[in-house]
Amino acid sequence: MNESTIIDYEEFLRTAMLSSNVEMLDELIADDLIFVNHFGQILSKEADIEAHRSGNLKITGIDVLEQRIRLLNTLALTVTRVALTGTFEEEPINGEFCYTRVWEYRNGELKIISGHCSSTT
């Protein structure tokens, strides 16, 4: 695992989020995911993916503004600040958000095991 691989996987995730590709999201996210959204709610993998599957979350733009990566043995930590646009339950989303993700190399695959989102605006 190296920084270039993590950048690639972050881009796979960005693409999957933009297209609400639930199959790709399912591949990238660990079954035991713990995700804290910008409201402070703790979500499971299924809840995270269901927002895309149901159409409640529609992301139209994710522009990466800054990204930092730390490699730690079988883990990688990413902190990514983005400009995000879209809708959630028909309410507009338009702002800067900071995502922290923990990627783990397990069973020959990289998976997101934990994540956190904060609004920066």
Side-chain angles (χ1 to χ4, degrees):
M1 178 171 53
N2 59 43
E3 193 170 306
S4 177
T5 300
I6 300 304
I7 291 168
D8 289 346
Y9 272 75
E10 283 278 322
E11 181 57 23
F12 296 151
L13 178 65
R14 189 182 80 79
T15 301
M17 290 170 68
L18 280 167
S19 62
S20 288
N21 183 334
V22 295
E23 292 82 16
M24 182 171 276
L25 291 169
D26 185 51
E27 287 182 33
L28 294 171
I29 300 171
D31 290 340
D32 56 349
L33 171 79
I34 298 173
F35 179 72
V36 179
N37 68 15
H38 66 290
F39 296 117
Q41 299 166 319
I42 300 171
L43 304 176
S44 66
K45 172 183 179 173
E46 186 54 36
D48 189 32
I49 291 176
E50 182 57 29
H52 289 275
R53 182 183 292 118
S54 68
N56 285 337
L57 177 61
K58 296 177 184 168
I59 299 174
T60 56
I62 305 173
D63 297 321
V64 176
L65 304 173
E66 178 182 5
Q67 186 169 64
R68 296 180 188 190
I69 299 170
R70 274 283 148 82
L71 301 176
L72 308 160
N73 296 321
T74 61
L75 301 175
L77 172 68
T78 63
V79 176
T80 307
R81 189 169 57 89
V82 301
L84 186 75
T85 55
T87 58
F88 181 71
E89 296 180 348
E90 300 185 25
E91 291 294 318
I93 302 168
N94 186 9
E96 286 188 15
F97 296 85
C98 191
Y99 288 89
T100 301
R101 286 185 272 273
V102 179
W103 292 85
E104 182 180 31
Y105 187 73
R106 57 164 77 155
N107 302 320
E109 299 177 310
L110 272 171
K111 300 278 186 177
I112 301 166
I113 61 170
S114 182
H116 182 269
C117 178
S118 297
S119 175
T120 63
T121 54

